[in-house]
Amino acid sequence: MISAAASYSGWWVGLVVGFLVVAVVVVIVGVVITLTSRIADGARVATSALPVVRDRTETLRDVGLINESAISILRSARAARKALTGS
């Protein structure tokens, strides 16, 4: 006949394993929440810096116009040189 203590040992093992699983899940959720909080803080910092970056890079829109002007000046200079030298 199986003793009462032996029949309950399976329950204790299951209970301990269940508590361990719950503890691991709690630790994992805590780590995920901590990392999420850090990511949110970084996103807030990046979002607050966006207007400054926009203001500093707004003049880059004119690079195409400046490039076209430089090409036009270069073509005019070549045409003038050709007219002066005859070649």
Side-chain angles (χ1 to χ4, degrees):
M1 192 183 270
I2 299 175
S3 69
S7 67
Y8 289 118
S9 66
W11 283 98
W12 285 108
V13 170
L15 192 61
V16 169
V17 169
F19 280 131
L20 289 176
V21 167
V22 169
V24 169
V25 169
V26 167
V27 169
I28 290 172
V29 168
V31 169
V32 168
I33 289 173
T34 302
L35 292 176
T36 304
S37 174
R38 289 183 185 176
I39 291 170
D41 291 341
R44 267 188 229 101
V45 170
T47 302
S48 66
L50 284 177
V52 175
V53 173
R54 184 185 61 236
D55 293 341
R56 291 183 181 173
T57 59
E58 195 167 0
T59 57
L60 290 176
R61 295 179 185 164
D62 298 332
V63 169
L65 180 62
I66 293 169
N67 192 24
E68 289 176 15
S69 297
I71 290 171
S72 175
I73 292 169
L74 180 61
R75 286 182 183 151
S76 298
R78 286 180 181 164
R81 184 179 61 196
K82 186 176 180 182
L84 290 174
T85 60
S87 56

